[in-house]
Each structure stands twice: as structure tokens, then as C-alpha cells.
Amino acid sequence: MNTPDELALGDVNLKELDHSALSQNIHSFLYRLDNNGESRLPQRAYLATRHAIRQLQLPPGQTILEREMADILGMSRTPVREALVRLEMEGWVKLIPRRGFVVAPIVADDLQHIYEVVEALDGIAGSLAAKRATSEELDKLDHLIEEQEKALEEENLIAWTDLDEQFHQLIVDMARNPRLRGVMDSQSDQLYRARLFTIKLRPKPTRSIMDHKAIVSVMRAAEPDAARSMLQSHRFRARSEILQIIRSMP
């Protein structure tokens, strides 16, 4: 039986996909894969479909028809099917009897579990970055903050969300720990999807920019404990806002 959270955020009939927008989004992503030398069809289908789900081009509850995705991707149904099976194992889609593959809903309890992991790991990343970051990397963080401020001035919350993701990803890179990067990558896309889903319902994220400036400041001062604490507090506040919105949806 579906929980109220699942019913609120996915397991409903949605309008038909905007195939033009979806196709444009996916082909732009496939072009980047071409530049990176990724030619394996199942991997291309997997990465492109996951990207579309992450960006809400395939929203929660949307049925994914293999033949439609195969047409958009320009490949046969076999690699698409392999990609969807893999995405099901990772929790991105569900296989519903007599309906097929459906984009998984954003479930509050699952999201809370992800945040609990990411908060801890973000703190570790911040602590390590405070010890290992170069001045050039810290300058890049400052530049991202400036771009976030511009996005807010223009009321472009989608751009702000993307810049916010870049900010946190750069801190993980600055930690110089490949294993930490691997674990964070497996969780961050789910958080990005939830943040994008709720961004227009949350308070204007001016507080987040203030947090980002404070985080960079303690990193420049090489204070790992302060960086850890600030990043964890920053994530906790975002988690509370997002979960409150999701749980309040009818």
C-alpha cells in the first residue's frame, strides 16, 4: 500500500510528456557523453535517463515507455531496458505491474535517510577541504557565490540550484578523497532532484548564500572543525525546509 508521501509525490497519472523539451534535454546530454568518449549504448541510456529524472524532465510518477525512450535516444529497446532495470535497482524508477517503469516518487522518509548520510559526509568533506584546498579553489567557491547572488537578483531559482550544487560538489573535490566522492555521487543526485522539486516553494535562499560565505571564510582560515560544523548545520537547515514542504503536500 502506498504511503501518503508516495501518493502526494508520484503515484498518480500525469499529463503526457513534453517530448520536444525532453528530447532537446537528452540530446544535449548525449552530446556531452560523445565528447567524453562514452559510446556504450546501455551506459548512454542509463546516464541520459537518470539525467532526465534528476532534472525533472521525467517527473515523479511519470510512466517511462521503452519505445518512446528508445526513439528519443536513437537506439533499440534492448539497451533502454537494461538501463531501466539498473535504474530500478538504484531506486530511480519502479516497475509497476501492467503499467511498466514509473519514475519513483520523492518520499520524505527516504529523503531524510539520504540527508542524514550526506550531512555527515559533507562535514567530513568540509573538514578535509579546509586542510587541502588551494587559494585558487577557494576563489572558485567565491565566484560561485557571486553567480548565485546574480541568479537570485534575476529570480532564476533553477540557475541558483545548479550553482548551489556546483558549490557543494567543488568542496567534495577539494577534499581529495576518491572514496568520499564515490559515496557522495551515489546520493547527491537524489537530493538535487528534491531540491529542484521544492525550490519555488521554499523561502528565498538568501540565508544559504550567507552560509556559503561563512563556510569559505573558515576554510580560508584553515579551521577544519568550524568548516565541518557549518556544512552540517547548513545541510540540516535545508533538509528541514524541504521535508516540511514535502510532508505538507496533499
Side-chain angles (χ1 to χ4, degrees):
M1 182 175 179
N2 291 329
T3 67
D5 284 331
E6 290 176 318
L7 290 171
L9 290 168
D11 291 340
V12 295
N13 291 323
L14 297 180
K15 64 182 180 181
E16 290 189 8
L17 284 174
D18 182 343
H19 283 252
S20 176
L22 177 61
S23 180
Q24 183 177 6
N25 180 284
I26 284 181
H27 280 281
S28 175
F29 184 78
L30 289 175
Y31 178 77
R32 296 201 295 273
L33 291 184
D34 291 337
N35 289 338
N36 291 332
E38 182 53 70
S39 60
R40 295 168 297 168
L41 293 184
Q43 180 72 354
R44 288 170 67 84
Y46 163 79
L47 291 173
T49 306
R50 175 170 163 165
H51 173 75
I53 295 172
R54 177 185 186 269
Q55 298 296 124
L56 300 180
Q57 289 285 332
L58 290 170
Q62 178 67 56
T63 299
I64 303 177
L65 300 179
E66 292 177 29
R67 58 177 175 77
E68 290 182 340
M69 287 302 297
D71 287 344
I72 291 172
L73 291 165
M75 59 183 67
S76 71
R77 292 172 63 172
T78 299
V80 173
R81 175 77 182 190
E82 290 182 30
L84 290 171
V85 169
R86 180 176 171 187
L87 289 165
E88 182 191 20
M89 294 175 60
E90 296 178 358
W92 287 97
V93 302
K94 292 183 174 184
L95 182 58
I96 308 295
R98 296 182 300 279
R99 186 175 171 188
F101 288 99
V102 175
V103 178
I106 298 174
V107 181
D109 287 347
D110 183 49
L111 192 62
Q112 177 166 330
H113 295 157
I114 295 173
Y115 259 113
E116 288 170 352
V117 172
V118 169
E119 282 170 23
L121 295 181
D122 237 11
I124 294 172
S127 176
L128 293 173
K131 302 173 185 175
R132 300 172 180 175
T134 65
S135 59
E136 290 79 8
E137 288 171 326
L138 294 171
D139 289 343
K140 289 181 182 179
L141 290 178
D142 281 333
H143 176 70
L144 287 172
I145 294 171
E146 291 172 2
E147 292 299 308
Q148 282 189 294
E149 290 178 319
K150 292 178 185 177
L152 276 193
E153 289 173 3
E154 297 168 359
E155 297 188 356
N156 189 341
L157 294 176
I158 304 301
W160 183 91
T161 303
D162 185 58
L163 290 162
D164 187 60
E165 180 72 5
Q166 291 180 48
F167 181 89
H168 286 279
Q169 291 293 328
L170 181 53
I171 290 176
V172 176
D173 289 340
M174 288 156 54
R176 312 208 200 300
N177 186 317
R179 291 187 179 272
L180 177 63
R181 159 57 68 199
V183 176
M184 289 291 281
D185 281 349
S186 70
Q187 306 297 328
S188 61
D189 280 352
Q190 289 284 13
L191 292 190
Y192 180 88
R193 184 171 75 127
R195 285 154 59 206
L196 197 60
F197 190 85
T198 59
I199 186 60
K200 294 182 179 179
L201 303 174
R202 294 163 58 191
K204 192 172 182 179
T206 51
R207 173 69 184 276
S208 288
I209 290 179
M210 294 170 60
D211 286 352
H212 287 181
K213 290 180 178 179
I215 289 166
V216 176
S217 178
V218 296
M219 284 184 175
R220 286 194 184 277
E223 298 180 10
D225 291 340
R228 179 199 295 262
S229 177
M230 285 184 178
L231 273 160
Q232 289 177 334
S233 176
H234 176 67
R235 284 289 199 184
F236 179 80
R237 184 175 51 77
R239 182 230 294 197
S240 299
E241 288 181 359
I242 291 172
L243 289 180
Q244 182 179 5
I245 291 170
I246 289 177
R247 288 184 167 131
S248 68
M249 287 181 171

